[in-house]
Amino acid sequence: WLVALGIFAITPALLYVSALPNYSNYISDCGKLQKPGVDNPVLLHVKPAGATQPATLFVDPLCPTCKAFHKRLEVEKVFDKLDMTLVLFPLDSECNWMLDKPFHPGSCLVSKAILCADRRAMDVLEWAYDNQDKLLEGAKAAAGLVNVRAMLREKWSHLDACIDAKETKVRLDKMMHYIVDNKLPVSTPQLFLGDTRLCDEDSDIGLAFTLRKLAPNLRQP
């Protein structure tokens, strides 16, 4: 009777588990990058020493979620393993014609500074993340972009002329066209591992599991 009791207890549980959907299949169903930009000179290319995993990251330098996601990738010890194409996606109507109002005012100006930094682009991006609250507060104050420009000038004075250059505006505009060509939603951050988009819901609690499935080599020590 003990064996029979065990069978009656275990069988429903096994049937339930067997009926569960395979969630591993869903993590790769959030879209594909239709036009990878590995060789696109308009985009920024960041490859730390030893990085092997191709990735494309779309960010707004004044987006709090982008900042949090960046920190999460660092905590997971993933960021330095990405052979990354970095695409600036400022949610600011000053340069982003997909918006009729700015979600993060000042981010177009900061994005231009990042483009001008060239090989030090990540330094400017990380500075923007570290000073994000101050930059946003300045952008929303009465003087607006004048405040943001003053903060940029104080820290990155050598970028001043480049920020105003026509070529910088054109390059940022071409980045916007690249985003449109890939038919991406107007949101940040967005990470593609290879050409597979990381689902929004997997960018926080489910990040470690998703990385193991989409890019197993990133989880290796």
Side-chain angles (χ1 to χ4, degrees):
W1 68 270
L2 288 175
V3 173
L5 181 61
I7 292 173
F8 279 113
I10 294 173
T11 299
L14 292 175
L15 290 173
Y16 173 76
V17 170
S18 65
L20 287 174
N22 182 2
Y23 290 103
S24 298
N25 295 331
Y26 293 106
I27 64 175
S28 59
D29 287 344
C30 291
K32 296 287 186 179
L33 194 62
Q34 298 180 21
K35 298 182 179 181
V38 176
D39 298 321
N40 190 331
V42 169
L43 310 179
L44 291 164
H45 302 281
V46 182
K47 185 177 182 180
T52 57
Q53 173 62 49
T56 305
L57 180 62
F58 297 80
V59 296
D60 176 336
L62 298 187
C63 157
T65 308
C66 296
K67 174 183 176 179
F69 185 58
H70 183 88
K71 299 297 183 186
R72 183 66 188 273
L73 289 174
E74 290 183 330
V75 168
E76 293 287 343
K77 298 181 179 179
V78 165
F79 195 85
D80 287 339
K81 297 179 181 180
L82 298 177
D83 180 0
M84 186 170 64
T85 299
L86 180 66
V87 186
L88 297 169
F89 194 176
L91 301 184
D92 180 0
S93 54
E94 184 200 2
C95 63
N96 188 338
W97 67 85
M98 291 172 266
L99 301 171
D100 56 10
K101 63 180 180 179
F103 286 97
H104 304 133
S107 61
C108 287
L109 192 56
V110 177
S111 293
K112 289 179 181 178
I114 294 169
L115 288 178
C116 289
D118 196 19
R119 293 183 180 180
R120 296 193 64 191
M122 286 305 305
D123 292 339
V124 181
L125 177 59
E126 290 176 351
W127 170 84
Y129 285 153
D130 291 341
N131 294 273
Q132 195 175 84
D133 291 342
K134 185 179 179 182
L135 287 163
L136 284 171
E137 182 180 350
K140 294 175 182 177
L145 295 183
V146 174
N147 295 328
V148 177
R149 187 59 180 268
M151 285 182 263
L152 286 169
R153 187 174 286 125
E154 180 181 1
K155 178 65 178 178
W156 311 99
S157 58
H158 63 290
L159 303 178
D160 207 40
C162 177
I163 290 172
D164 291 328
K166 179 182 178 180
E167 292 79 9
T168 305
K169 180 181 182 301
V170 170
R171 186 178 181 185
L172 185 57
D173 190 59
K174 287 182 177 179
M175 275 195 176
M176 295 293 108
H177 281 286
Y178 174 75
I179 291 164
V180 171
D181 289 344
N182 277 285
K183 299 180 175 61
L184 299 182
V186 184
S187 66
T188 54
Q190 297 183 56
L191 174 65
F192 290 79
L193 295 169
D195 64 351
T196 302
R197 187 176 187 270
L198 181 77
C199 299
D200 292 338
E201 58 269 25
D202 292 328
S203 63
D204 188 11
I205 296 175
L207 181 61
F209 172 81
T210 305
L211 291 175
R212 285 198 300 271
K213 295 297 182 180
L214 293 182
N217 59 307
L218 290 180
R219 305 304 303 169
Q220 294 175 0

